[in-house]
Amino acid sequence: MESKNTTFAKFRRLLKMFPKKSYFTLGIIFIVLMSITSIATSYVIRHFLDSAANKDMDLFINTLYLGLGIFLLDTLLSYLKVKLLGIYTESGVTRLRKLLSKKINKLPIRDLEKKHSGDYVSTATNDIGKVRTFFATTVPEIISIPLTAILALIYLCILSWKLTVVSLILTPILILGAGKLSQSISHISRRLQDKLGKVNSIVQDAIGGIEISKSYNLEDSLEEKYNHSVEETVETGKHLAKRTSILEGFSQVLGIVPFFTTFLLGGYWAIKGDMTVGGLLAFINLLNYLTYPVSQFPKLLGQTKSSLAAADRIFEVMDDMEERSEGESFSIDNSKDLIEFNNVNFSYPGSNEKVLKGMNFTIKNGESVALVGPSGGGKSTIIKLLLGYYENYDGDIMVGERELKEWNLNSLRDISALVSQDTFLFPETIETNIKYGRFDSNDKDIIEVAKKANAHRFIEEFKDGYDTKVGQLGNTLSGGQKQRISIARAMIKDAPILLLDEATSALDTESEALVQNALEGFIEDKTSLVIAHRLSTIKNVDRILVLNNGKIVEEGSHDELIKLNGFYTELYNKQLKNQQLTLKQEVV
């Protein structure tokens, strides 16, 4: 069985991924025909010179017509080859980009978290760019150059097999040496692509964290980190250039030796009359077609290995296991207990530390439940599990009285609307960002939810209103504005389960009060799970679960928990004291 890591296997896999295969086939046919016309040119040169030397006008005119026909045919073939292979390459690269994007969107969160997003950006740009160059330039040369060389060799032997043997006797030795030198190019090129991915990651982090960078005066530190990565990339690039330059040197030797031999021996035989002058010049012309491929062999080999090293990085992403697509869609309308955790234990992949330890709780249909507790207690993890981001838990998680692993993930996420503390907006218009909650929503629906989320007023103040572009990561908006658009997006989805992960944490006191009122009205007919930053905002929920160190330590309403005078009371009093202290400082 052929290994999938061989050069041919990688190339064949790329071919299978590219559409418009008929274009590629026709392009190859035209390359073959162009190779034949190239060798036919030497035939024309030979007879031109011999007819001139022998003063044979009929042969001269016939050869002239033949040469003109070959020229026109070669021009047409060249046009068709470039056009068809260009369409084939661009179509293939477009499909490759779409497949890669689709694949990344289907990767599990656990796998996406292992790799920096900059690496994925590098794969989608640098690596695909190398594959594009490979098909646009290298592949046609890989086919045409050796084929032309074979045809040239056949005609050379017809002209003078003895001169051919003498001229090329050292070529196999030089080719073997060049092949030996090129072996490390694939590994060096792969390292270079990896380092370029690291540089992209640093740049992406610097842009995404520009506000923190400036506020903490991190410019010099980040610049030093960036420069170090760039220097590593440059060193690897130099190493690759050094190897390539050695191969180029071999290419020069491969090209010079046959010509040197031909001029000496061929010239001697022409003087003696064993070869015609036309035959000698045709031989030299043909030798170009033979020595050029031989001299280009190391370079082509290096380009191929470099391009397929880039393809390796693409294949790594394409071969990653996707989120599961099986499962069913279930009705939750008549479910009495909508969410249930039964003795759930969970650790994040790659960690032995349990985030949830024997977690048990039930949320009834239509009930609002809050999760409170110190950071790291497992609150956000519960929401991630309910969205199916991780399934490596022990115990049972029931959603609509069905085990979560029985659900189709798309259907599971359709019944939930998330508002996260880490608000993300796409670099599009405000309207589009809200509409991502429900694509069939109209302008009236969008304005209505924006009003409920206390966002309509500030949106209307923008020159372009709802058509205002929010910029990368929503950076043209304040934190509170971004959060309110995020809340509007969740509202318009109108899912039966609402997941609020510190949804009002980025809002000022006035906006928080308005949005809190809107949320309270919005969640009346929904099942909601709320992680609250401010405990004062969850007084009206049906039940509060107090988490500490991965376990539920207390449970009840706000008033019931205060009466217990336990862990919740301690948290509440501490936060109340901090708020009073902050208020006092603001007054002063």
Side-chain angles (χ1 to χ4, degrees), residues 458-503:
F458 79 76
I459 294 173
E460 286 289 284
E461 290 175 355
F462 288 122
K463 177 184 175 182
D464 296 323
Y466 284 83
D467 292 326
T468 301
K469 294 284 184 87
V470 303
Q472 185 180 9
L473 303 178
N475 287 338
T476 61
L477 306 177
S478 69
Q481 289 172 337
K482 288 192 290 185
Q483 193 72 309
R484 281 175 274 174
I485 291 174
S486 175
I487 291 170
R489 181 171 59 195
M491 285 181 169
I492 207 166
K493 187 176 182 180
D494 198 26
I497 299 176
L498 189 60
L499 305 174
L500 305 176
D501 188 355
E502 300 191 14

mmCIF file of all heavy atoms in Angstrom, residues 458-503:
data_model
loop_
_atom_site.group_PDB
_atom_site.id
_atom_site.type_symbol
_atom_site.label_atom_id
_atom_site.label_comp_id
_atom_site.label_asym_id
_atom_site.label_seq_id
_atom_site.Cartn_x
_atom_site.Cartn_y
_atom_site.Cartn_z
ATOM 1 N N PHE A 458 -28.418 54.427 20.977
ATOM 2 C CA PHE A 458 -27.055 54.735 20.549
ATOM 3 C C PHE A 458 -26.815 54.329 19.085
ATOM 4 O O PHE A 458 -26.000 54.941 18.392
ATOM 5 C CB PHE A 458 -26.009 54.107 21.484
ATOM 6 C CG PHE A 458 -25.725 52.644 21.277
ATOM 7 C CD1 PHE A 458 -24.940 52.198 20.214
ATOM 8 C CD2 PHE A 458 -26.217 51.704 22.172
ATOM 9 C CE1 PHE A 458 -24.661 50.860 20.035
ATOM 10 C CE2 PHE A 458 -25.941 50.354 21.994
ATOM 11 C CZ PHE A 458 -25.174 49.932 20.917
ATOM 12 N N ILE A 459 -27.537 53.322 18.612
ATOM 13 C CA ILE A 459 -27.402 52.927 17.199
ATOM 14 C C ILE A 459 -27.894 54.050 16.293
ATOM 15 O O ILE A 459 -27.271 54.396 15.289
ATOM 16 C CB ILE A 459 -28.175 51.628 16.908
ATOM 17 C CG1 ILE A 459 -27.552 50.447 17.659
ATOM 18 C CG2 ILE A 459 -28.189 51.328 15.397
ATOM 19 C CD1 ILE A 459 -28.353 49.159 17.572
ATOM 20 N N GLU A 460 -29.044 54.655 16.665
ATOM 21 C CA GLU A 460 -29.621 55.728 15.877
ATOM 22 C C GLU A 460 -28.735 56.972 15.850
ATOM 23 O O GLU A 460 -28.806 57.785 14.923
ATOM 24 C CB GLU A 460 -30.998 56.104 16.440
ATOM 25 C CG GLU A 460 -32.080 55.077 16.131
ATOM 26 C CD GLU A 460 -32.460 55.070 14.661
ATOM 27 O OE1 GLU A 460 -33.184 55.980 14.234
ATOM 28 O OE2 GLU A 460 -31.994 54.169 13.933
ATOM 29 N N GLU A 461 -27.886 57.125 16.858
ATOM 30 C CA GLU A 461 -26.995 58.284 16.916
ATOM 31 C C GLU A 461 -25.853 58.189 15.910
ATOM 32 O O GLU A 461 -25.224 59.199 15.581
ATOM 33 C CB GLU A 461 -26.432 58.450 18.329
ATOM 34 C CG GLU A 461 -27.498 58.899 19.332
ATOM 35 C CD GLU A 461 -26.959 58.944 20.752
ATOM 36 O OE1 GLU A 461 -25.789 58.533 20.964
ATOM 37 O OE2 GLU A 461 -27.705 59.381 21.651
ATOM 38 N N PHE A 462 -25.552 56.968 15.437
ATOM 39 C CA PHE A 462 -24.520 56.821 14.419
ATOM 40 C C PHE A 462 -25.018 57.375 13.094
ATOM 41 O O PHE A 462 -26.215 57.308 12.783
ATOM 42 C CB PHE A 462 -24.144 55.350 14.235
ATOM 43 C CG PHE A 462 -23.355 54.774 15.381
ATOM 44 C CD1 PHE A 462 -23.830 53.666 16.077
ATOM 45 C CD2 PHE A 462 -22.146 55.331 15.772
ATOM 46 C CE1 PHE A 462 -23.124 53.121 17.117
ATOM 47 C CE2 PHE A 462 -21.424 54.790 16.828
ATOM 48 C CZ PHE A 462 -21.913 53.690 17.504
ATOM 49 N N LYS A 463 -24.106 57.890 12.287
ATOM 50 C CA LYS A 463 -24.456 58.473 10.994
ATOM 51 C C LYS A 463 -25.173 57.455 10.109
ATOM 52 O O LYS A 463 -26.173 57.766 9.450
ATOM 53 C CB LYS A 463 -23.191 58.973 10.302
ATOM 54 C CG LYS A 463 -23.422 59.527 8.913
ATOM 55 C CD LYS A 463 -22.105 59.915 8.251
ATOM 56 C CE LYS A 463 -22.344 60.358 6.809
ATOM 57 N NZ LYS A 463 -21.068 60.690 6.117
ATOM 58 N N ASP A 464 -24.678 56.215 10.095
ATOM 59 C CA ASP A 464 -25.264 55.173 9.246
ATOM 60 C C ASP A 464 -26.249 54.275 9.986
ATOM 61 O O ASP A 464 -26.717 53.269 9.424
ATOM 62 C CB ASP A 464 -24.150 54.310 8.632
ATOM 63 C CG ASP A 464 -23.251 55.114 7.705
ATOM 64 O OD1 ASP A 464 -23.783 55.992 7.002
ATOM 65 O OD2 ASP A 464 -22.028 54.860 7.689
ATOM 66 N N GLY A 465 -26.551 54.603 11.239
ATOM 67 C CA GLY A 465 -27.534 53.835 11.983
ATOM 68 C C GLY A 465 -27.204 52.351 12.057
ATOM 69 O O GLY A 465 -26.081 51.970 12.422
ATOM 70 N N TYR A 466 -28.167 51.535 11.683
ATOM 71 C CA TYR A 466 -27.977 50.081 11.743
ATOM 72 C C TYR A 466 -27.008 49.574 10.665
ATOM 73 O O TYR A 466 -26.576 48.428 10.721
ATOM 74 C CB TYR A 466 -29.324 49.359 11.614
ATOM 75 C CG TYR A 466 -30.151 49.412 12.874
ATOM 76 C CD1 TYR A 466 -30.939 50.523 13.172
ATOM 77 C CD2 TYR A 466 -30.136 48.356 13.772
ATOM 78 C CE1 TYR A 466 -31.686 50.586 14.336
ATOM 79 C CE2 TYR A 466 -30.883 48.406 14.942
ATOM 80 C CZ TYR A 466 -31.657 49.522 15.210
ATOM 81 O OH TYR A 466 -32.381 49.578 16.384
ATOM 82 N N ASP A 467 -26.673 50.419 9.704
ATOM 83 C CA ASP A 467 -25.704 50.055 8.663
ATOM 84 C C ASP A 467 -24.273 50.423 9.058
ATOM 85 O O ASP A 467 -23.358 50.314 8.248
ATOM 86 C CB ASP A 467 -26.050 50.750 7.340
ATOM 87 C CG ASP A 467 -27.340 50.209 6.741
ATOM 88 O OD1 ASP A 467 -27.605 49.004 6.900
ATOM 89 O OD2 ASP A 467 -28.083 50.999 6.123
ATOM 90 N N THR A 468 -24.074 50.829 10.287
ATOM 91 C CA THR A 468 -22.736 51.196 10.768
ATOM 92 C C THR A 468 -21.858 49.955 10.875
ATOM 93 O O THR A 468 -22.257 48.944 11.471
ATOM 94 C CB THR A 468 -22.824 51.873 12.153
ATOM 95 O OG1 THR A 468 -23.641 53.042 12.041
ATOM 96 C CG2 THR A 468 -21.450 52.243 12.668
ATOM 97 N N LYS A 469 -20.660 50.024 10.296
ATOM 98 C CA LYS A 469 -19.694 48.920 10.419
ATOM 99 C C LYS A 469 -19.064 48.968 11.809
ATOM 100 O O LYS A 469 -18.624 50.027 12.262
ATOM 101 C CB LYS A 469 -18.604 49.043 9.356
ATOM 102 C CG LYS A 469 -19.091 48.853 7.921
ATOM 103 C CD LYS A 469 -19.325 47.374 7.650
ATOM 104 C CE LYS A 469 -19.723 47.148 6.186
ATOM 105 N NZ LYS A 469 -18.594 46.990 5.304
ATOM 106 N N VAL A 470 -18.994 47.817 12.468
ATOM 107 C CA VAL A 470 -18.488 47.792 13.846
ATOM 108 C C VAL A 470 -16.978 47.648 13.916
ATOM 109 O O VAL A 470 -16.386 47.767 14.991
ATOM 110 C CB VAL A 470 -19.153 46.659 14.664
ATOM 111 C CG1 VAL A 470 -20.658 46.814 14.657
ATOM 112 C CG2 VAL A 470 -18.740 45.280 14.131
ATOM 113 N N GLY A 471 -16.309 47.347 12.783
ATOM 114 C CA GLY A 471 -14.856 47.195 12.782
ATOM 115 C C GLY A 471 -14.428 45.825 13.277
ATOM 116 O O GLY A 471 -15.242 45.000 13.712
ATOM 117 N N GLN A 472 -13.116 45.583 13.219
ATOM 118 C CA GLN A 472 -12.590 44.292 13.671
ATOM 119 C C GLN A 472 -12.862 44.108 15.162
ATOM 120 O O GLN A 472 -12.530 44.967 15.977
ATOM 121 C CB GLN A 472 -11.092 44.197 13.408
ATOM 122 C CG GLN A 472 -10.503 42.830 13.751
ATOM 123 C CD GLN A 472 -9.010 42.764 13.487
ATOM 124 O OE1 GLN A 472 -8.383 43.773 13.200
ATOM 125 N NE2 GLN A 472 -8.436 41.589 13.589
ATOM 126 N N LEU A 473 -13.489 42.980 15.500
ATOM 127 C CA LEU A 473 -13.845 42.628 16.879
ATOM 128 C C LEU A 473 -14.770 43.674 17.519
ATOM 129 O O LEU A 473 -14.868 43.762 18.732
ATOM 130 C CB LEU A 473 -12.583 42.459 17.739
ATOM 131 C CG LEU A 473 -11.557 41.430 17.263
ATOM 132 C CD1 LEU A 473 -10.350 41.426 18.191
ATOM 133 C CD2 LEU A 473 -12.180 40.041 17.209
ATOM 134 N N GLY A 474 -15.437 44.496 16.674
ATOM 135 C CA GLY A 474 -16.336 45.514 17.206
ATOM 136 C C GLY A 474 -15.613 46.659 17.879
ATOM 137 O O GLY A 474 -16.161 47.319 18.766
ATOM 138 N N ASN A 475 -14.366 46.944 17.434
ATOM 139 C CA ASN A 475 -13.536 47.926 18.128
ATOM 140 C C ASN A 475 -13.998 49.364 17.963
ATOM 141 O O ASN A 475 -13.471 50.255 18.627
ATOM 142 C CB ASN A 475 -12.084 47.802 17.663
ATOM 143 C CG ASN A 475 -11.422 46.548 18.215
ATOM 144 O OD1 ASN A 475 -11.876 46.010 19.223
ATOM 145 N ND2 ASN A 475 -10.376 46.096 17.575
ATOM 146 N N THR A 476 -14.951 49.624 17.081
ATOM 147 C CA THR A 476 -15.466 50.994 16.948
ATOM 148 C C THR A 476 -16.546 51.284 17.991
ATOM 149 O O THR A 476 -17.026 52.414 18.070
ATOM 150 C CB THR A 476 -16.045 51.233 15.542
ATOM 151 O OG1 THR A 476 -17.133 50.330 15.320
ATOM 152 C CG2 THR A 476 -14.984 51.014 14.474
ATOM 153 N N LEU A 477 -16.911 50.275 18.777
ATOM 154 C CA LEU A 477 -17.946 50.439 19.800
ATOM 155 C C LEU A 477 -17.340 50.309 21.191
ATOM 156 O O LEU A 477 -16.274 49.708 21.369
ATOM 157 C CB LEU A 477 -19.035 49.370 19.629
ATOM 158 C CG LEU A 477 -19.700 49.253 18.250
ATOM 159 C CD1 LEU A 477 -20.683 48.100 18.257
ATOM 160 C CD2 LEU A 477 -20.399 50.546 17.870
ATOM 161 N N SER A 478 -18.017 50.841 22.161
ATOM 162 C CA SER A 478 -17.585 50.661 23.549
ATOM 163 C C SER A 478 -17.945 49.252 24.005
ATOM 164 O O SER A 478 -18.738 48.551 23.363
ATOM 165 C CB SER A 478 -18.271 51.686 24.447
ATOM 166 O OG SER A 478 -19.660 51.397 24.554
ATOM 167 N N GLY A 479 -17.388 48.854 25.148
ATOM 168 C CA GLY A 479 -17.683 47.518 25.670
ATOM 169 C C GLY A 479 -19.154 47.325 25.956
ATOM 170 O O GLY A 479 -19.732 46.279 25.646
ATOM 171 N N GLY A 480 -19.785 48.353 26.527
ATOM 172 C CA GLY A 480 -21.216 48.267 26.820
ATOM 173 C C GLY A 480 -22.059 48.189 25.573
ATOM 174 O O GLY A 480 -23.054 47.462 25.524
ATOM 175 N N GLN A 481 -21.687 48.947 24.543
ATOM 176 C CA GLN A 481 -22.426 48.915 23.279
ATOM 177 C C GLN A 481 -22.333 47.548 22.624
ATOM 178 O O GLN A 481 -23.332 47.002 22.120
ATOM 179 C CB GLN A 481 -21.894 50.004 22.350
ATOM 180 C CG GLN A 481 -22.260 51.417 22.779
ATOM 181 C CD GLN A 481 -21.553 52.473 21.960
ATOM 182 O OE1 GLN A 481 -20.498 52.230 21.370
ATOM 183 N NE2 GLN A 481 -22.123 53.673 21.914
ATOM 184 N N LYS A 482 -21.130 46.982 22.623
ATOM 185 C CA LYS A 482 -20.953 45.639 22.053
ATOM 186 C C LYS A 482 -21.806 44.617 22.799
ATOM 187 O O LYS A 482 -22.426 43.753 22.177
ATOM 188 C CB LYS A 482 -19.470 45.231 22.113
ATOM 189 C CG LYS A 482 -18.585 45.955 21.136
ATOM 190 C CD LYS A 482 -17.205 45.313 21.029
ATOM 191 C CE LYS A 482 -16.395 45.515 22.278
ATOM 192 N NZ LYS A 482 -15.015 44.998 22.120
ATOM 193 N N GLN A 483 -21.837 44.734 24.123
ATOM 194 C CA GLN A 483 -22.583 43.764 24.915
ATOM 195 C C GLN A 483 -24.072 43.851 24.636
ATOM 196 O O GLN A 483 -24.769 42.840 24.566
ATOM 197 C CB GLN A 483 -22.296 43.996 26.403
ATOM 198 C CG GLN A 483 -22.747 42.871 27.316
ATOM 199 C CD GLN A 483 -21.899 41.623 27.193
ATOM 200 O OE1 GLN A 483 -21.677 41.130 26.094
ATOM 201 N NE2 GLN A 483 -21.415 41.118 28.306
ATOM 202 N N ARG A 484 -24.578 45.073 24.456
ATOM 203 C CA ARG A 484 -26.011 45.232 24.196
ATOM 204 C C ARG A 484 -26.400 44.705 22.813
ATOM 205 O O ARG A 484 -27.481 44.153 22.645
ATOM 206 C CB ARG A 484 -26.409 46.705 24.353
ATOM 207 C CG ARG A 484 -26.584 47.105 25.815
ATOM 208 C CD ARG A 484 -26.857 48.577 25.979
ATOM 209 N NE ARG A 484 -25.614 49.329 26.041
ATOM 210 C CZ ARG A 484 -25.545 50.661 26.078
ATOM 211 N NH1 ARG A 484 -26.657 51.376 26.028
ATOM 212 N NH2 ARG A 484 -24.381 51.270 26.146
ATOM 213 N N ILE A 485 -25.508 44.846 21.836
ATOM 214 C CA ILE A 485 -25.775 44.249 20.517
ATOM 215 C C ILE A 485 -25.755 42.733 20.627
ATOM 216 O O ILE A 485 -26.562 42.027 19.998
ATOM 217 C CB ILE A 485 -24.730 44.751 19.492
ATOM 218 C CG1 ILE A 485 -24.960 46.230 19.208
ATOM 219 C CG2 ILE A 485 -24.819 43.944 18.199
ATOM 220 C CD1 ILE A 485 -23.900 46.862 18.333
ATOM 221 N N SER A 486 -24.842 42.209 21.440
ATOM 222 C CA SER A 486 -24.782 40.764 21.661
ATOM 223 C C SER A 486 -26.068 40.254 22.309
ATOM 224 O O SER A 486 -26.583 39.186 21.955
ATOM 225 C CB SER A 486 -23.567 40.439 22.540
ATOM 226 O OG SER A 486 -23.530 39.077 22.863
ATOM 227 N N ILE A 487 -26.591 41.030 23.255
ATOM 228 C CA ILE A 487 -27.850 40.651 23.912
ATOM 229 C C ILE A 487 -29.005 40.698 22.917
ATOM 230 O O ILE A 487 -29.872 39.812 22.899
ATOM 231 C CB ILE A 487 -28.108 41.571 25.118
ATOM 232 C CG1 ILE A 487 -27.086 41.280 26.219
ATOM 233 C CG2 ILE A 487 -29.528 41.398 25.645
ATOM 234 C CD1 ILE A 487 -27.090 42.288 27.349
ATOM 235 N N ALA A 488 -29.018 41.711 22.053
ATOM 236 C CA ALA A 488 -30.057 41.797 21.019
ATOM 237 C C ALA A 488 -29.990 40.596 20.078
ATOM 238 O O ALA A 488 -31.020 40.070 19.658
ATOM 239 C CB ALA A 488 -29.890 43.096 20.229
ATOM 240 N N ARG A 489 -28.781 40.165 19.767
ATOM 241 C CA ARG A 489 -28.604 38.990 18.903
ATOM 242 C C ARG A 489 -29.197 37.742 19.556
ATOM 243 O O ARG A 489 -29.817 36.905 18.889
ATOM 244 C CB ARG A 489 -27.101 38.793 18.628
ATOM 245 C CG ARG A 489 -26.780 37.627 17.732
ATOM 246 C CD ARG A 489 -25.303 37.663 17.342
ATOM 247 N NE ARG A 489 -24.420 37.604 18.506
ATOM 248 C CZ ARG A 489 -23.122 37.914 18.471
ATOM 249 N NH1 ARG A 489 -22.568 38.325 17.340
ATOM 250 N NH2 ARG A 489 -22.377 37.833 19.558
ATOM 251 N N ALA A 490 -29.009 37.602 20.861
ATOM 252 C CA ALA A 490 -29.585 36.459 21.580
ATOM 253 C C ALA A 490 -31.102 36.562 21.656
ATOM 254 O O ALA A 490 -31.816 35.564 21.532
ATOM 255 C CB ALA A 490 -28.988 36.377 22.982
ATOM 256 N N MET A 491 -31.585 37.782 21.839
ATOM 257 C CA MET A 491 -33.037 37.978 21.932
ATOM 258 C C MET A 491 -33.739 37.597 20.633
ATOM 259 O O MET A 491 -34.798 36.967 20.640
ATOM 260 C CB MET A 491 -33.346 39.439 22.281
ATOM 261 C CG MET A 491 -33.078 39.813 23.724
ATOM 262 S SD MET A 491 -33.501 41.547 24.028
ATOM 263 C CE MET A 491 -33.421 41.604 25.818
ATOM 264 N N ILE A 492 -33.143 37.995 19.496
ATOM 265 C CA ILE A 492 -33.811 37.750 18.216
ATOM 266 C C ILE A 492 -33.802 36.265 17.851
ATOM 267 O O ILE A 492 -34.649 35.804 17.082
ATOM 268 C CB ILE A 492 -33.164 38.604 17.094
ATOM 269 C CG1 ILE A 492 -34.200 38.881 15.998
ATOM 270 C CG2 ILE A 492 -31.915 37.943 16.537
ATOM 271 C CD1 ILE A 492 -33.773 39.980 15.034
ATOM 272 N N LYS A 493 -32.875 35.522 18.428
ATOM 273 C CA LYS A 493 -32.853 34.076 18.181
ATOM 274 C C LYS A 493 -34.073 33.412 18.815
ATOM 275 O O LYS A 493 -34.593 32.418 18.302
ATOM 276 C CB LYS A 493 -31.568 33.460 18.745
ATOM 277 C CG LYS A 493 -31.397 31.986 18.382
ATOM 278 C CD LYS A 493 -30.063 31.433 18.883
ATOM 279 C CE LYS A 493 -29.895 29.969 18.467
ATOM 280 N NZ LYS A 493 -28.624 29.388 18.935
ATOM 281 N N ASP A 494 -34.496 33.972 19.962
ATOM 282 C CA ASP A 494 -35.715 33.513 20.633
ATOM 283 C C ASP A 494 -35.685 32.007 20.905
ATOM 284 O O ASP A 494 -36.671 31.291 20.684
ATOM 285 C CB ASP A 494 -36.943 33.873 19.784
ATOM 286 C CG ASP A 494 -38.233 33.837 20.608
ATOM 287 O OD1 ASP A 494 -38.145 34.032 21.831
ATOM 288 O OD2 ASP A 494 -39.297 33.593 20.014
ATOM 289 N N ALA A 495 -34.535 31.529 21.384
ATOM 290 C CA ALA A 495 -34.386 30.105 21.713
ATOM 291 C C ALA A 495 -35.019 29.818 23.074
ATOM 292 O O ALA A 495 -35.079 30.705 23.940
ATOM 293 C CB ALA A 495 -32.906 29.740 21.726
ATOM 294 N N PRO A 496 -35.484 28.603 23.303
ATOM 295 C CA PRO A 496 -36.154 28.294 24.576
ATOM 296 C C PRO A 496 -35.212 28.270 25.782
ATOM 297 O O PRO A 496 -35.650 28.418 26.909
ATOM 298 C CB PRO A 496 -36.756 26.910 24.330
ATOM 299 C CG PRO A 496 -35.968 26.343 23.196
ATOM 300 C CD PRO A 496 -35.560 27.491 22.349
ATOM 301 N N ILE A 497 -33.910 28.052 25.541
ATOM 302 C CA ILE A 497 -32.927 28.051 26.632
ATOM 303 C C ILE A 497 -32.027 29.260 26.454
ATOM 304 O O ILE A 497 -31.446 29.473 25.391
ATOM 305 C CB ILE A 497 -32.078 26.767 26.638
ATOM 306 C CG1 ILE A 497 -32.973 25.540 26.847
ATOM 307 C CG2 ILE A 497 -31.018 26.826 27.726
ATOM 308 C CD1 ILE A 497 -32.225 24.217 26.777
ATOM 309 N N LEU A 498 -31.896 30.061 27.509
ATOM 310 C CA LEU A 498 -31.065 31.253 27.465
ATOM 311 C C LEU A 498 -29.875 31.051 28.401
ATOM 312 O O LEU A 498 -30.038 30.750 29.590
ATOM 313 C CB LEU A 498 -31.885 32.474 27.905
ATOM 314 C CG LEU A 498 -31.243 33.840 27.731
ATOM 315 C CD1 LEU A 498 -30.898 34.115 26.267
ATOM 316 C CD2 LEU A 498 -32.180 34.928 28.270
ATOM 317 N N LEU A 499 -28.682 31.214 27.859
ATOM 318 C CA LEU A 499 -27.445 31.042 28.625
ATOM 319 C C LEU A 499 -26.752 32.392 28.728
ATOM 320 O O LEU A 499 -26.292 32.940 27.717
ATOM 321 C CB LEU A 499 -26.523 30.023 27.935
ATOM 322 C CG LEU A 499 -27.124 28.641 27.654
ATOM 323 C CD1 LEU A 499 -26.171 27.786 26.839
ATOM 324 C CD2 LEU A 499 -27.481 27.933 28.964
ATOM 325 N N LEU A 500 -26.679 32.920 29.923
ATOM 326 C CA LEU A 500 -26.086 34.238 30.142
ATOM 327 C C LEU A 500 -24.823 34.080 30.987
ATOM 328 O O LEU A 500 -24.905 33.800 32.183
ATOM 329 C CB LEU A 500 -27.083 35.173 30.835
ATOM 330 C CG LEU A 500 -28.442 35.356 30.148
ATOM 331 C CD1 LEU A 500 -29.361 36.219 31.000
ATOM 332 C CD2 LEU A 500 -28.266 35.975 28.774
ATOM 333 N N ASP A 501 -23.684 34.254 30.356
ATOM 334 C CA ASP A 501 -22.410 34.110 31.056
ATOM 335 C C ASP A 501 -21.878 35.507 31.373
ATOM 336 O O ASP A 501 -21.165 36.127 30.600
ATOM 337 C CB ASP A 501 -21.408 33.359 30.172
ATOM 338 C CG ASP A 501 -20.130 33.009 30.915
ATOM 339 O OD1 ASP A 501 -19.983 33.437 32.073
ATOM 340 O OD2 ASP A 501 -19.276 32.318 30.335
ATOM 341 N N GLU A 502 -22.295 36.022 32.555
ATOM 342 C CA GLU A 502 -21.933 37.384 32.978
ATOM 343 C C GLU A 502 -22.297 38.382 31.890
ATOM 344 O O GLU A 502 -21.480 39.200 31.454
ATOM 345 C CB GLU A 502 -20.447 37.458 33.348
ATOM 346 C CG GLU A 502 -20.084 36.527 34.492
ATOM 347 C CD GLU A 502 -18.687 36.791 35.052
ATOM 348 O OE1 GLU A 502 -18.116 37.847 34.739
ATOM 349 O OE2 GLU A 502 -18.183 35.942 35.780
ATOM 350 N N ALA A 503 -23.532 38.312 31.442
ATOM 351 C CA ALA A 503 -23.991 39.062 30.268
ATOM 352 C C ALA A 503 -23.989 40.566 30.472
ATOM 353 O O ALA A 503 -23.951 41.320 29.502
ATOM 354 C CB ALA A 503 -25.401 38.603 29.891
#
